[in-house]
Amino acid sequence: MDEERALYIVRAGEAGAIERVLRDYSDKKLCEGIFKVLVKDVPTTCQVSCLEVLRILSRDKKILVPVTTKENMQILLRLAKLNESDDSLEKVSEFPVIVESLKCLCNIVFNSQMAQQLSLELNLAAKLCNLLKKCKDRKFINDIKCFDLRLLFLLSLLHTDIRSQLRYELQGLPLLTQILESAFSIKWTDEYESAIDHNGPPLSPQETDCAIEALKALFNVTVDSWKVHKESDSHQFRVMAAVLRHCLLIVGPTEDKTEELHSNAVNLLSNVPVSCLDVLICPLTHEETAQEATTLDELPSEKTAAKETVLKNNTMVYNGMNMEAIHVLLNFMEKRIDKGSSYREGLTPVLSLLTECSRAHRNIRKFLKDQVLPPLRDVTNRPEVGSTVRNKLVRLMTHVDLGVKQIAAEFLFVLCKERVDSLLKYTGYGNAAGLLAARGLLAGGRGDNWYSEDEDTDTEEYKNAKPNINLITGHLEEPMPNPIDEMTEEQKEYEAMKLVNMLDKLSREELLKPMGLKPDGTITPLEEALNQYSVIEETSSDTD
């Protein structure tokens, strides 16, 4: 707002408008004055104070419009050490100025479209990557790394062009992965395996914040990573997946921070090509194998038969493979279900990840099947009643959110190797009807994907109860007396015609539409389904 406009409003005399215009005008003048001070050679404490005030003012979009210029942006870039390509970060006294400058840039870029355009013109992404390289292995400047990463995340979020630049030109994928390695202090024991200290201290708050910002930036950089063709890309994604596996097995300073850290790791794993997710599990070492054999000897025979055990160091093992990371993902999923809200944002990413892992990797699917859908023994309760993971997932199959119920049903379907009969055994026909209708499998059969042919084994308890299980509800029901046994033939005919008339009335009033199955298993109006079957029969007769 210029001075003449401000004076005009003041002379008009409206109290509210006068207060508002004077506040905006004074804030704008204050911003301009701060930039004039920052150009000068003033003490560090003065620079920090000016930047703190500017950071607060930069939250207001109206104030930013007149002061967001190329010259002012360059002032902040200089103070943030983003202009000196060969200048090392040696003066500790300058660190507060760098951090405050980065904070101001975060606010300004987020709130100003002009600043976003200037960021492209000034090649800010490349400058941020250069600053990261200077401090990636130096833990005592975590605040600088954290806000550098946050600004990089904002730029890649607001500009798709910057995502491509980061991915290919600036080699953002290996750079940000190395930042994560540094934050987690990873020590590699093999190409894609890291040493895990289960008794080690949690991450510090600063390391956790840096890791979270790096994970968010990596998510933007890899958002279209399913288009992987080169072997070098495959290797880099496997390294990143191995780092994320390490991330899942460590904890932050608080439970909330741990959940936030793992949540961002799950989101990023969803971008990793599914063929590269095999590094989430790994064979046991010789020492762990010997320990597993000792532990198996101590377990009851029925537990040994399940090929699953917990070692003395809390390592989850299945079929000779370390399943710790998958077990963490499963527990994370259950916690998100128990929250009971924000399923689409909080639950669907981890459910989708586990579904794709199960579809592509046999050992992961078999482990999850063992954990989620163990052999049925007690079938007296409905599948959706209870507190097991299976009960919770079956309840989600009838959730009001279409996306949530679809992914929950798909996960269970994949665990059942996309076999309809196996799915119905664990869920009942009523809960599975939506998925089966969408997939054209109401008449039975199996999905399109291929799975190993190993057979499921039913328990003796299930075999004995199976003849009395209600296929619709999926649980054991005591035989009910047949109400028509006591009727005469005339009464049966009367009740049948009464039912026919009621259905006919509902159909004519279009309150109910009779449906039938087409030969391909999908639902269609009954008349159309009958016509298709008639055509098939006529064709068959002509052939004969």
Side-chain angles (χ1 to χ4, degrees):
M1 181 180 296
D2 57 26
E3 294 181 17
E4 291 184 4
R5 175 64 177 163
L7 288 172
Y8 174 79
I9 295 176
V10 170
R11 288 168 182 157
E14 185 183 341
I18 292 173
E19 181 182 354
R20 187 167 57 254
V21 73
L22 288 176
R23 184 176 65 250
D24 292 345
Y25 184 71
S26 61
D27 288 345
K28 176 203 164 189
K29 284 295 184 184
L30 180 57
C31 281
E32 291 174 346
I34 287 172
F35 278 110
K36 289 177 181 177
V37 172
L38 292 174
V39 174
K40 301 175 182 178
D41 185 16
V42 295
T44 300
T45 53
C46 180
Q47 289 179 325
V48 171
S49 298
C50 287
L51 289 167
E52 287 174 345
V53 174
L54 181 61
R55 170 166 52 87
I56 296 170
L57 293 173
S58 62
R59 297 170 184 166
D60 190 333
K61 295 182 180 180
K62 291 184 293 183
I63 297 172
L64 285 177
V65 173
V67 298
T68 304
T69 63
K70 186 174 182 178
E71 292 74 17
N72 288 343
M73 287 284 287
Q74 287 174 326
I75 292 171
L76 292 175
L77 295 184
R78 177 179 57 80
L79 293 172
K81 297 295 180 183
L82 292 171
N83 277 343
E84 294 90 350
S85 58
D86 57 348
D87 188 30
S88 59
L89 301 172
E90 297 297 338
K91 295 182 180 178
V92 178
S93 60
E94 294 179 341
F95 290 177
V97 176
I98 298 173
V99 172
E100 285 300 327
S101 299
L102 288 170
K103 289 179 181 179
C104 290
L105 283 168
C106 286
N107 283 355
I108 292 170
V109 168
F110 181 72
N111 288 315
S112 169
Q113 289 187 347
M114 176 61 71
Q116 294 164 22
Q117 293 300 320
L118 288 171
S119 298
L120 291 173
E121 184 179 337
L122 295 168
N123 201 15
L124 181 54
K127 297 178 187 297
L128 289 168
C129 288
N130 187 55
L131 181 60
L132 276 179
K133 291 173 184 176
K134 297 178 192 176
C135 60
K136 67 180 180 182
D137 295 322
R138 302 174 62 178
K139 293 190 174 183
F140 59 90
I141 51 177
N142 273 325
D143 282 345
I144 296 177
K145 280 195 287 188
C146 185
F147 288 102
D148 184 306
L149 289 164
R150 183 170 298 177
L151 186 50
L152 206 56
F153 162 70
L154 287 172
L155 288 174
S156 57
L157 174 69
L158 297 167
H159 282 288
T160 55
D161 291 343
I162 289 181
R163 294 178 200 168
S164 179
Q165 181 190 15
L166 276 170
R167 175 76 183 276
Y168 301 106
E169 179 185 335
L170 301 175
Q171 295 298 301
L173 186 56
L175 174 62
L176 293 170
T177 303
Q178 288 167 12
I179 294 292
L180 284 176
E181 287 184 51
S182 175
F184 299 146
S185 302
I186 290 180
K187 297 178 181 177
W188 296 104
T189 58
D190 204 343
E191 187 177 19
Y192 303 122
E193 293 180 35
S194 61
I196 304 292
D197 183 4
H198 293 282
N199 299 317
L203 289 178
S204 69
Q206 295 80 11
E207 290 169 338
T208 306
D209 288 339
C210 272
I212 289 171
E213 295 300 333
L215 290 169
K216 288 157 61 177
L218 268 170
F219 179 85
N220 290 342
V221 173
T222 60
V223 75
D224 60 348
S225 57
W226 55 273
K227 306 171 184 176
V228 174
H229 302 290
K230 296 188 295 186
E231 187 63 30
S232 59
D233 286 345
S234 180
H235 167 71
Q236 189 57 55
F237 277 111
R238 276 192 161 83
V239 171
M240 187 176 75
V243 172
L244 294 176
R245 177 183 182 274
H246 188 100
C247 175
L248 292 171
L249 301 180
I250 57 178
V251 295
T254 64
E255 188 175 342
D256 287 344
K257 276 295 180 183
T258 300
E259 183 173 356
E260 185 181 359
L261 182 69
H262 289 177
S263 177
N264 281 284
V266 167
N267 291 340
L268 182 52
L269 279 169
S270 300
N271 285 351
V272 176
V274 70
S275 60
C276 301
L277 292 174
D278 54 345
V279 300
L280 290 178
I281 61 175
C282 55
L284 299 181
T285 63
H286 293 299
E287 293 79 6
E288 289 174 329
T289 303
Q291 191 177 11
E292 180 193 15
T294 303
T295 310
L296 284 170
D297 290 338
E298 299 169 357
L299 290 173
S301 57
E302 65 271 14
K303 193 69 174 178
T304 306
K307 300 180 183 178
E308 183 273 328
T309 182
V310 179
L311 298 183
K312 294 175 183 176
N313 63 353
N314 295 324
T315 300
M316 185 65 67
V317 176
Y318 187 88
N319 277 3
M321 302 295 288
N322 186 322
M323 293 287 179
E324 282 183 287
I326 304 301
H327 194 249
V328 170
L329 289 172
L330 186 61
N331 289 337
F332 180 84
M333 177 200 73
E334 189 172 6
K335 285 180 183 177
R336 287 297 170 95
I337 294 176
D338 292 340
K339 278 192 172 182
S341 60
S342 302
Y343 281 158
R344 181 173 286 275
E345 298 81 14
L347 178 62
T348 53
V350 66
L351 262 178
S352 299
L353 175 63
L354 290 174
T355 301
E356 293 306 315
C357 284
S358 300
R359 184 176 277 126
H361 302 288
R362 179 173 178 266
N363 275 320
I364 295 178
R365 175 181 57 78
K366 295 191 68 165
F367 171 74
L368 289 172
K369 171 75 180 297
D370 186 71
Q371 297 291 310
V372 177
L373 301 175
L376 287 175
R377 298 184 185 279
D378 183 8
V379 289
T380 56
N381 292 321
R382 291 172 177 256
E384 65 270 23
V385 175
S387 58
T388 66
V389 182
R390 168 195 166 220
N391 302 142
K392 296 171 183 178
L393 286 167
V394 172
R395 284 198 289 272
L396 289 179
M397 294 176 75
T398 53
H399 195 270
V400 293
D401 189 306
L402 183 62
V404 172
K405 73 177 185 180
Q406 282 179 339
I407 190 59
E410 187 75 15
F411 177 51
L412 292 176
F413 195 42
V414 169
L415 293 188
C416 294
K417 296 185 287 189
E418 300 192 20
R419 287 171 45 185
V420 173
D421 56 344
S422 180
L423 179 68
L424 296 183
K425 181 173 77 173
Y426 289 102
T427 68
Y429 197 93
N431 291 312
L435 171 75
L436 300 181
R439 299 284 290 264
L441 294 171
L442 284 171
R446 63 186 307 167
D448 299 328
N449 294 289
W450 182 89
Y451 296 89
S452 59
E453 292 299 327
D454 48 304
E455 293 294 330
D456 295 329
T457 54
D458 292 332
T459 62
E460 287 299 322
E461 296 91 334
Y462 179 78
K463 289 178 181 178
N464 294 333
K466 188 174 181 179
N468 295 319
I469 291 178
N470 185 319
L471 297 178
I472 302 299
T473 62
H475 81 298
L476 181 65
E477 289 184 349
E478 293 299 325
M480 300 289 290
N482 191 336
I484 68 173
D485 286 345
E486 304 295 326
M487 292 183 182
T488 64
E489 292 301 320
E490 290 78 7
Q491 287 175 318
K492 293 177 184 177
E493 184 177 348
Y494 171 79
E495 293 295 336
M497 291 306 301
K498 183 179 177 182
L499 180 61
V500 168
N501 290 332
M502 290 170 63
L503 291 173
D504 180 61
K505 181 180 179 182
L506 290 172
S507 178
R508 280 187 283 103
E509 294 177 357
E510 295 187 353
L511 298 174
L512 179 148
K513 179 179 287 189
M515 306 293 284
L517 284 177
K518 294 194 292 185
D520 63 0
T522 56
I523 297 178
T524 190
L526 184 59
E527 291 182 2
E528 185 179 334
L530 292 174
N531 289 336
Q532 290 199 16
Y533 278 109
S534 299
V535 171
I536 292 174
E537 289 181 2
E538 290 176 4
T539 304
S540 177
S541 299
D542 292 342
T543 304
D544 293 341

